[in-house]
Amino acid sequence: MIFQAWMRALLPRRMFQQLLLLTSTCLLLVIGLYSVYVFFERSAAIQRNLETQATALARNLALSAQRPLIFGDLDVLAGLVKLATDFPEVSELRIIDSEGRVLSHYRQGGKEIFDPLSVRLALPQTIQVSIVDERLKGQHRLVVWYPVIGGNFLGWIRLDYSTARLEKL
């Protein structure tokens, strides 16, 4: 009984006003649901765009690293990696030989990291492109493993690509 009295006090008594209130409420609900849908669609599109950019950069590096890997020219490899870390989203980049030894390793801004050759990284099981969505220490990033193939399997490009742009949404 209290509920009915409360509803009578809040709802308008005329049919026109009730229809207007119902229409307005439905419109607000539809706008809210559409906004949520657009947000998720936009986030997915940005995620796909970041994956495409990271894979394209890794592919270009793999193609550029074929000759230096065949001839063992580590200076050229280091130069390639250092230039690639100038891209804003690249947080870390490594060129790894087929046995898991890091041949060149740079962080964003061209900061070189020296990895001992005795250390071997765990490599992907199959020789194909893989993209891993990784969260470490509050940082979200895409890790792209791209094989370097020049006649034979020569090694890997490991590209850590920041997804900070996606997190700003």
Side-chain angles (χ1 to χ4, degrees):
M1 216 180 289
I2 296 174
F3 179 72
Q4 290 175 348
W6 186 70
M7 289 302 286
R8 273 192 220 141
L10 285 180
L11 289 177
R13 294 182 185 202
R14 294 186 181 189
M15 180 65 121
F16 175 76
Q17 292 172 341
Q18 289 177 355
L19 284 174
L20 188 64
L21 180 65
L22 178 66
T23 306
S24 300
T25 304
C26 288
L27 183 64
L28 285 175
L29 182 66
V30 167
I31 289 172
L33 290 174
Y34 185 70
S35 297
V36 169
Y37 168 76
V38 167
F39 171 76
F40 283 112
E41 283 297 312
R42 182 175 160 95
S43 296
I46 291 174
Q47 176 79 18
R48 285 190 305 271
N49 188 20
L50 289 174
E51 288 176 6
T52 302
Q53 287 176 5
T55 305
L57 180 58
R59 180 179 51 247
N60 288 335
L61 282 168
L63 291 172
S64 300
Q66 286 175 350
R67 182 177 165 90
L69 275 174
I70 290 171
F71 292 110
D73 196 353
L74 298 179
D75 291 336
V76 174
L77 287 176
L80 285 171
V81 173
K82 185 175 183 180
L83 287 175
T85 57
D86 288 339
F87 284 93
E89 280 88 15
V90 175
S91 56
E92 205 165 334
L93 184 57
R94 296 177 180 97
I95 295 184
I96 303 162
D97 70 2
S98 59
E99 298 170 4
R101 294 179 300 218
V102 178
L103 302 176
S104 185
H105 183 184
Y106 279 83
R107 285 210 172 114
Q108 190 172 31
K111 298 173 192 150
E112 187 171 13
I113 309 295
F114 293 100
D115 295 308
L117 289 176
S118 60
V119 174
R120 298 188 192 278
L121 296 179
L123 301 174
Q125 300 296 323
T126 59
I127 301 175
Q128 58 185 350
V129 178
S130 68
I131 301 173
V132 180
D133 204 354
E134 192 175 87
R135 289 185 188 270
L136 288 175
K137 300 176 186 170
Q139 291 182 338
H140 187 216
R141 60 187 177 181
L142 295 173
V143 178
V144 179
W145 288 88
Y146 204 96
V148 181
I149 300 172
N152 296 345
F153 173 65
L154 301 171
W156 290 95
I157 301 291
R158 180 191 160 147
L159 174 68
D160 294 9
Y161 205 77
S162 172
T163 57
R165 188 175 8 158
L166 184 62
E167 292 174 7
K168 286 180 182 177
L169 291 177

